[in-house]
Amino acid sequence: MSDIRNSDRFNGTLLYGANAVDEEAGTFTVKFLHADINLGEYGFLRIGRQPFDFGLGIYANGGHDPYDDNGFNIDRILWLKGFETVMGSTTLVLVSDYISGGGNDNPGGDEADEPISVFEGQGQTVDYLAAAVIVANGPSVYGAYLFPKIYQKNLGGADLESNSDMNFVLYEAYYTYTGNDVFFGVDFAGGYGTLKAESSTGKAGTTNIDKSNYIFVSQLRFNNLGGAVSSLGFEYGISPGDNMSTGDLEGQVIRGNSAYEVDNLLFKHVIPSLYGADGSVSNSKYFKVDADMPMTDTSKLNLAVVMAWADETDNQSFGGAIDGTDDAVSDIGSYWGTSYEATYTTELTPGVELSLIGSYIDAGNGLKDAMASAAEGTSTRDDAEGSIYGFQTRLLIFIDDFFKAPAAK
């Protein structure tokens, strides 16, 4: 691993920080471990680790869908109860959370075991009481939640632990319409607050998390089209960036969940690797179109094109240099690039599915500038990779379907 270059991080893998060259790297995550208690007329209670999915999954996403990777884990006490109202079938949900996760910003240092950053759902973070309401009325579903106070007290510093008090408000609202041949959905998540070092007094050491932090996604999909194309989808999304110059956090605090997969390379690997931060849609606006094409009774081909632009182009900070040096800051072009992706999926036997995923990115000036900056002066934009590609395989075994299939008998 001694000859890993800056450009290698994009050829199908996510490499940043000292962990990128750690031969002992590996993770094991418990996603489900909870007790369910039916309280009858008093509702339903769930206690333990439980994925949290909401709306289109752009921000609150536990990643437990078999087609999703990553996501965050929440240790939660949840109570819910359903009611029939004039608006439709209404569910009230109350939760109290301990959000836990891994990661640190000083790999190998004295605080290497300190989990950090509530912003991607990681770190030792609590909210004492939050509420959600979901209303289903025929094909329409509305939902909203509010976390009035999220509190964190262990945001780790680069050289030493810097305990911080955080007051953060998080909210999200969505609407979906599911018809026989069409699906439409919109989802908006936002947050704001302050982050203050415990060691400071007065207003000193206080960072404002601005209300301009949000992510918005809209989707439209036509199904059962027949012929060569069985379904056709359109998607638009945006999550503003931060110009890194005011001292306040004006963007990139609320960003797409790492389990929200726009594509399998640009937003899943390349952009998160450049910024050295978990997530998907970050400092970006994009437009996506994709089509499902049936090949046989048990296989299909999905073709997708994603065009992406940087929302903020000034003073961007690109981290995760594999030599462990400080982040490089630069202005970048406004166009990230165009991603082309083809996914061939086939059922090998009932309950066993194989996918072959090919991805190619035609890098725009934004990606080229960012890659040159991340290389810390070892290359210019003209030397940066203009073509980024990856090939992946995915094998899913659906245990229930597999053991109930005739072949299993």
Side-chain angles (χ1 to χ4, degrees):
M1 294 195 177
S2 61
D3 63 345
I4 292 179
R5 298 161 299 167
N6 183 267
S7 60
D8 290 333
R9 71 182 66 193
F10 302 121
N11 289 327
T13 189
L14 173 62
L15 297 174
Y16 66 84
N19 287 334
V21 293
D22 183 358
E23 295 186 7
E24 302 299 323
T27 61
F28 178 81
T29 301
V30 176
K31 284 185 169 289
F32 286 93
L33 187 62
H34 53 76
D36 293 349
I37 305 171
N38 189 339
L39 302 178
E41 61 179 307
Y42 299 105
F44 171 84
L45 187 67
R46 173 171 287 174
I47 303 173
R49 175 157 296 183
Q50 47 195 283
F52 175 36
D53 298 328
F54 202 77
L56 301 179
I58 60 174
Y59 189 77
N61 194 322
H64 72 286
D65 186 287
Y67 296 96
D68 293 338
D69 293 326
N70 304 309
F72 60 75
N73 304 303
I74 295 178
D75 297 321
R76 159 173 289 179
I77 299 175
L78 175 146
W79 172 88
L80 65 80
K81 183 173 174 56
F83 305 88
E84 288 298 328
T85 67
V86 294
M87 296 182 294
S89 178
T90 301
T91 302
L92 174 64
V93 185
L94 300 177
V95 300
S96 182
D97 297 327
Y98 175 89
I99 305 173
S100 60
N104 64 81
D105 63 354
N106 187 23
D110 295 337
E111 285 74 45
D113 60 345
E114 289 292 336
I116 64 166
S117 190
V118 68
F119 303 140
E120 55 259 18
Q122 298 179 350
Q124 297 174 8
T125 309
V126 296
D127 62 79
Y128 299 104
L129 184 64
V133 176
I134 303 168
V135 179
N137 190 339
S140 295
V141 178
Y142 310 80
Y145 68 66
L146 175 66
F147 288 72
K149 181 171 181 175
I150 300 177
Y151 177 74
Q152 178 171 341
K153 196 180 177 180
N154 72 326
L155 188 63
D159 300 314
L160 49 84
E161 184 177 0
S162 175
N163 286 336
S164 298
D165 291 332
M166 182 187 65
N167 290 304
F168 190 64
V169 178
L170 176 67
Y171 60 91
E172 184 171 357
Y174 77 94
Y175 167 76
T176 60
Y177 175 89
T178 305
N180 293 330
D181 301 319
V182 65
F183 171 84
F184 174 72
V186 292
D187 199 344
F188 184 98
Y192 60 92
T194 60
L195 188 64
K196 181 178 180 179
E198 277 190 342
S199 58
S200 64
T201 58
K203 293 185 177 180
T206 298
T207 301
N208 292 316
I209 306 170
D210 197 81
K211 292 181 179 179
S212 58
N213 281 279
Y214 70 87
I215 177 172
F216 169 80
V217 167
S218 62
Q219 298 177 353
L220 175 64
R221 189 162 201 91
F222 299 100
N223 300 309
N224 304 316
L225 297 179
V229 176
S230 60
S231 69
L232 182 65
F234 303 90
E235 181 173 331
Y236 171 78
I238 180 172
S239 183
D242 191 349
N243 65 13
M244 313 289 182
S245 63
T246 66
D248 293 338
L249 298 173
E250 297 164 333
Q252 294 171 254
V253 170
I254 298 294
R255 52 184 182 266
N257 190 291
S258 57
Y260 186 73
E261 298 180 4
V262 179
D263 72 319
N264 284 279
L265 190 55
L266 178 63
F267 283 110
K268 189 172 182 177
H269 290 296
V270 176
I271 292 178
S273 182
L274 281 168
Y275 282 108
D278 289 343
S280 56
V281 185
S282 178
N283 186 30
S284 301
K285 44 192 173 184
Y286 70 92
F287 179 75
K288 173 183 177 180
V289 59
D290 77 290
D292 282 332
M293 306 169 63
M295 307 299 289
T296 68
D297 291 341
T298 58
S299 64
K300 69 176 182 178
L301 178 67
N302 177 271
L303 300 178
V305 178
V306 180
M307 302 177 67
W309 296 262
D311 177 75
E312 179 62 59
T313 60
D314 296 336
N315 304 308
Q316 294 302 292
S317 177
F318 300 104
I322 59 176
D323 60 3
T325 53
D326 293 337
D327 295 356
V329 178
S330 69
D331 294 343
I332 62 173
S334 60
Y335 189 53
W336 284 127
T338 303
S339 175
Y340 304 90
E341 192 162 273
T343 303
Y344 174 76
T345 301
T346 184
E347 184 182 71
L348 300 180
T349 189
V352 181
E353 180 183 285
L354 174 68
S355 294
L356 308 177
I357 307 168
S359 306
Y360 174 83
I361 301 172
D362 183 12
N365 286 342
L367 276 183
K368 291 180 181 179
D369 290 338
M371 286 188 287
S373 178
E376 299 189 341
T378 61
S379 66
T380 64
R381 187 180 77 183
D382 294 336
D383 296 328
E385 297 283 352
S387 300
I388 305 170
Y389 58 88
F391 179 77
Q392 303 166 60
T393 61
R394 179 178 63 210
L395 181 69
L396 295 179
I397 300 175
F398 299 89
I399 300 298
D400 231 25
D401 295 338
F402 178 75
F403 283 109
K404 290 178 180 177
K409 297 177 181 180

